[in-house]
Amino acid sequence: MTEDTAVDTTVDGVDTAVDTRPSKIVYVAEATAHGGRDGYVTSQDGQIELKVAMPPELGGDGNGTNPEQLFAAGYSSCFHNALVLVGRRAGFDLTGSTVAAKVGIGPNKQRGYSLAVALSVSLPVLDTAIAAKLVDAAHEVCPYSNATRGNIDVAILLG
C-alpha cells in the first residue's frame, strides 16, 4: 500500500483536511479478477467465486454480476454497519433499518468512466431529525464514505 501525494488543504493558513487514512491495518481482503468484466472473480479465502459480465446497458449479455453490483453490496453493508454502530453509541436500537445502494457508471470528461452512488436509508422507528443526525454520523464513520468523499458523488436519501 502506498501513501497518497500530499495535497495543500490550507485555507487562510488553517489546515482544513481531515485525515481518514487508517492508523493501523487490522484486516486485508484479497480478490483476483480473471478476464476483466467478462470473466470471474475469486477471493483468496475461497468465499467468493463469481462470474462477472458486462450488463446489457454497457453492451454485454448480463449473465453474471458486475463490479458496480459488488460495489453497491459492499457500500450498503458497510454503511449499514456504521449506522448501527453510531446508533448503538447514541442509545438507539436500529432493528429493522436498511440501507440500499445504487451505483451508476458513465463516461466522464477525461475520456474515462466514473461512478455515482445513491444510498437509500430506512430508519422506520426514529423521527426524521434523529435519523438524519445518525445518517450524517455514519457517513463520517463508514470506510466507503471516507474512501469516496471528494471523488464520487454520493447522495443519501432518508426515507
Side-chain angles (χ1 to χ4, degrees):
M1 293 183 200
T2 61
E3 290 188 13
D4 291 331
T5 304
V7 175
D8 183 12
T9 57
T10 57
V11 176
D12 295 329
V14 177
D15 189 1
T16 60
V18 175
D19 188 354
T20 59
R21 294 174 297 176
S23 58
K24 177 183 175 184
I25 301 297
V26 295
Y27 170 73
V28 174
E30 184 178 340
T32 303
H34 310 264
R37 284 182 170 265
D38 286 311
Y40 64 100
V41 292
T42 59
S43 63
Q44 175 274 335
D45 63 2
Q47 293 295 312
I48 296 174
E49 188 169 329
L50 298 170
K51 179 179 177 5
V52 291
M54 294 277 276
E57 297 84 353
L58 296 177
D61 63 16
N63 290 326
T65 191
N66 59 66
E68 292 72 36
Q69 289 173 325
L70 296 171
F71 192 84
Y75 202 159
S76 63
S77 64
C78 190
F79 193 90
H80 192 239
N81 194 72
L83 186 63
V84 169
L85 174 71
V86 299
R88 186 177 333 120
R89 287 178 179 169
F92 296 101
D93 178 6
L94 300 186
T95 300
S97 63
T98 61
V99 175
K102 292 181 181 181
V103 174
I105 184 171
N108 63 28
K109 293 177 182 175
Q110 285 73 41
R111 299 179 52 107
Y113 291 85
S114 295
L115 302 175
V117 175
L119 299 175
S120 296
V121 179
S122 174
L123 293 164
V125 298
L126 296 178
D127 91 0
T128 305
I130 292 171
K133 286 181 182 181
L134 293 178
V135 166
D136 288 345
H139 196 42
E140 295 301 316
V141 170
C142 175
Y144 275 69
S145 292
N146 287 326
T148 60
R149 187 171 289 111
N151 58 23
I152 295 177
D153 288 335
V154 177
I156 303 176
L157 312 166
L158 184 57

